[in-house]
Amino acid sequence: MTTRATVRWLLPLAIASLVAVLAWWATCFLCDDAFIAFRYVGQVHDGHGLVWNEAPWQPVEGYSSFLWVVMLLAVWNTIGAPPPASANVLSLLCALATLLLVARRLDASPLPPALARARAVLSTIVLLGIAANHTWITWQSSGLDAALFGVLAVGWTLSAAGIDGTRPRDLLSLSAWAALAQLARPDGGLLVLATIAIAVHAATVARARWWRTALALWPLLLPAAHLLWRRAYYGEWLPNTYFAKVGEAWPESGLRYAYCFAFEHGLWLWLPLLLLWLALVGRRRERCWRAATARAPAAIAIAAWAVYAGFYTLRVGGDHFGYRPFMHFVPLLLVAARRFVADLGLGVRAAAAVLLLLAVGSGGFGWWYEHVARGREVAGYVAVGRRVPSLLEPVFARYDRYQAWLRLHLVGIRRAQHAAMCEDLQRRFPPRGAPVANWPPGRRGVLEIGAAGVGAWRAPQFDVIDIFGLNDWVVARNKGTRRLGRLPEAVIDEVFRAADANADQRLAGTELEALGALGDRTWHHFTPDVWAELLGAGWDPEGDGLDLEQFRRAVWDITDARLMAHERQPPPGYVEALRPCVRFVDGRFELAPEVPPIDAAGIEAVERRFRARIAR
């Protein structure tokens, strides 16, 4: 390898990789949901199969990522590192692999002569923009499968963007990326469909040979086999998590989620660049049409990601985790930005300035938000408009209002809050498999649990009822929702009058802390100052205080709200029929002697009865 090649892509890659490692080290965390997959890995490791609870419980798929579970298990069996110790290291390797893919693509992509001499500089800006991006680096840890899906999504997209789809070798590579992505997350099924569409285009429009095109798709047999195995083993075509998380279409949540993503990542900065690029392309209509025909795989890839974003925005309502579904868009957007500046014919300084602006604009806000929210990690909310000069407050007003709404619906929860919660749970629960004093020999232990990750991982000897349904077939499909309902007007009015210290029929400033008195009637327990900011930002758009009608609406919105991924609840009598006899008290598990034992036949009968009832 020549010195020129080293400077051109290896040096930018090395610099960005160092920054990524340092940022990963500073933000590395585990979230409670990651321990759900860890429990499944533990069950296989202990010889019970890929199940949440061992037989006679029917198998349930609550982990979503088959490939991630297999990787964690392989590491545990090979070098003895259990999932909590290996997950984030594997994620870091995925992050570095993503940077490698981007670096290679930037090096291979053509540049006009004016920019070619500054290729290394431009590549460094793009790679650093990815490595230092708050959202992207956040999901290069967590213990979840996000980094794995991210590298596969980026690999598939870059592969699609660089081929015309006619060569079997290119289709084979694209099929491999799509197959692995589908094994990593069900979302990858969209990439499988897009790959098939690219192959059909190649065989019809581009006149590629059908039999060679079909043979190049053989890696797609792997996700097809996995789908059939899922159906045979779990009895479902989709993971149980889909039924637990995705209910009625929720665009009012998804649009707020997408707006906040665009706001935080400076997507408004892209508008002038995109308009200029479209104007330039529009002047070359014939060339544009030829390029679109020759680059059909790239167009199909763009369409696939548009469908993906639309599904999460309009159907799912975003995600419980802050911008996790959109994380892999960060490297793809920055790679696209370099293509835009190249097509626009900008000089080196102008191109570098534009790329630097987009890189900082897409990643700086997240770091700033985490800084101003320091001390409120558990609450997970701060009205940032109050932390900027008054001239800028109107710019942040809508963002703060949407963030308040999302926080109260458990949508877009941030890294710091997940980290604080998981650290607290790990401190509270005893070590994995710790013996339980005075436990009767042969007694079956059933544990009812809400935060199903850490607790379930630490209690492999017990059957665990996940009351939110991620790992329970019955709860996931129960139509009952976990909503508190509207409080009576009389109760709200009484709180309002008690809080209205100056009797001006409005609540403002410290008076807004009144909702703290209703904390026991909501799902949220914030400190008074956080309540004040949430109410002010979310329901007082004029900033002159909440009147009685606005206060009523705020309380009703909060108490009668949908809760992302926490909405399902067990049907009446289900948990009681399973007789949970394990209690968690003062940092240890103990037997509840007053609960009569349940045997394997009893568990089997309860599951059969309630599954039949829910399926009606």
Side-chain angles (χ1 to χ4, degrees), residues 407-492:
R407 174 63 187 87
L408 291 168
H409 291 74
L410 301 185
V411 182
I413 303 301
R414 295 179 177 274
R415 180 197 70 84
Q417 188 176 356
H418 281 296
M421 174 186 170
C422 189
E423 289 169 3
D424 179 64
L425 290 172
Q426 291 187 85
R427 284 191 297 267
R428 289 166 52 199
F429 280 103
R432 184 173 188 265
V436 179
N438 301 320
W439 191 264
R443 175 72 180 265
R444 190 158 201 132
V446 179
L447 171 66
E448 175 190 358
I449 200 166
V454 175
W457 161 255
R458 296 283 182 89
Q461 68 272 45
F462 300 133
D463 300 328
V464 176
I465 306 172
D466 177 2
I467 63 171
F468 291 131
L470 294 174
N471 305 281
D472 192 287
W473 193 97
V474 171
V475 177
R477 289 156 183 79
N478 182 33
K479 300 301 182 183
T481 56
R482 195 177 298 273
R483 300 187 193 178
L484 297 172
R486 289 193 168 193
L487 292 177
E489 284 189 12
V491 174
I492 301 173

Side-chain angles (χ1 to χ4, degrees), residues 7 56-57 161 175 196 326 396 435 534 571:
V7 172
W57 294 83
S175 299
I196 294 173
F326 302 155
F396 290 87
L534 278 164

Side-chain angles (χ1 to χ4, degrees), residues 495-512 514 539-551:
V495 173
F496 183 90
R497 286 191 295 270
D500 188 13
N502 58 8
D504 66 347
Q505 301 302 308
R506 288 188 177 275
L507 300 184
T510 57
E511 291 177 337
L512 286 176
W539 287 269
D540 182 18
E542 296 84 10
D544 58 352
L546 293 172
D547 60 25
L548 178 58
E549 186 59 35
Q550 289 174 321
F551 186 67

Side-chain angles (χ1 to χ4, degrees), residues 529-590:
D529 58 330
V530 176
W531 273 124
E533 287 198 18
L534 278 164
L535 285 166
W539 287 269
D540 182 18
E542 296 84 10
D544 58 352
L546 293 172
D547 60 25
L548 178 58
E549 186 59 35
Q550 289 174 321
F551 186 67
R552 286 174 183 164
R553 193 181 312 122
V555 175
W556 286 334
D557 284 351
I558 292 168
T559 56
D560 197 30
R562 287 182 65 172
L563 301 173
M564 173 69 73
H566 293 72
E567 194 172 32
R568 301 299 185 191
Q569 64 178 350
Y574 176 65
V575 173
E576 294 79 1
L578 290 168
R579 303 176 198 170
C581 62
V582 182
R583 293 186 298 216
F584 178 68
V585 180
D586 297 330
R588 69 179 186 276
F589 295 112
E590 63 179 36

Side-chain angles (χ1 to χ4, degrees), residues 111-115 273 276-277 280 283-284 337-351:
L111 284 175
L115 296 181
L273 181 65
L276 282 173
W277 186 81
L280 178 66
R283 289 189 306 172
R284 308 170 182 172
R338 204 202 67 163
R339 171 63 184 270
F340 287 167
V341 300
D343 287 350
L344 290 174
L346 300 180
V348 172
R349 292 183 179 180

